[in-house]
């Protein structure tokens, strides 16, 4: 059964637009990963500064392979951002990763 990873990001109001633009610019960076099933960036509507980044994967191993491969390269380390560009200041001021196994799911019935 699939696994779900939810990255809980604390994003100050003045950084919301920056965060959303960065996610829009990353289009395709996870979609072609082996075992990737779904992505959503969820914007808070009231009472919180917390964004949720929802991804679903075929298996934990697929998520770990992405984390240790293309995600690590995209976020870079040290001086640059993985592509030779200067490293950008994070838009989020905090991050927590939640992990879940999918035990039930439903889709709209056709008919």
């Amino acid at each position: 059964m699939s696994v779900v990873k939810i990255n809980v990001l604390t994003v100050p109001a003045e950084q919301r637009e920056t965060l959303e633009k960065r996610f829009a610019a990353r289009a395709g960076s996870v979609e072609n990963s082996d075992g990737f099933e779904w992505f959503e960036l969820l914007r808070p509507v009231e009472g919180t500064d917390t964004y949720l980044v929802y991804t679903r994967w075929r298996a934990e191993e697929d998520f770990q392979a992405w984390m240790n491969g293309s995600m690590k390269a995209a976020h870079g380390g040290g001086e640059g951002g993985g592509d030779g560009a200067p490293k950008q200041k994070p838009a989020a001021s905090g991050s927590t990763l939640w992990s879940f196994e999918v035990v039930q799911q439903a889709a709209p019935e056709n008919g």
Side-chain angles (χ1 to χ4, degrees):
M1 191 61 76
S2 299
V3 295
V4 169
K5 302 296 181 171
I6 300 174
N7 196 358
V8 183
L9 302 175
T10 303
V11 182
E14 66 273 10
Q15 291 293 334
R16 286 182 169 200
E17 185 177 348
T18 299
L19 178 88
E20 292 179 23
K21 284 181 179 178
R22 288 182 185 170
F23 270 94
R26 63 110 210 107
S29 64
V30 70
E31 289 88 332
N32 296 319
S33 299
D34 190 42
F36 170 79
E37 296 180 349
W38 198 259
F39 163 86
E40 290 178 319
L41 175 62
L42 306 176
R43 177 194 302 140
V45 293
E46 59 185 32
T48 185
D49 58 358
T50 303
Y51 275 72
L52 301 178
V53 182
Y54 174 100
T55 57
R56 189 174 69 214
W57 299 85
R58 175 181 54 207
E60 178 68 25
E61 296 77 19
D62 296 313
F63 172 74
Q64 292 300 327
W66 173 75
M67 283 285 291
N68 294 316
S70 60
M71 192 287 293
K72 192 173 189 178
H75 284 80
E79 299 295 318
D83 58 1
K87 193 169 184 177
Q88 295 178 317
K89 179 183 174 196
S93 62
S95 174
T96 301
L97 183 65
W98 294 343
S99 299
F100 299 88
E101 292 180 334
V102 177
V103 293
Q104 292 184 25
Q105 62 186 18
E109 293 182 19
N110 295 326

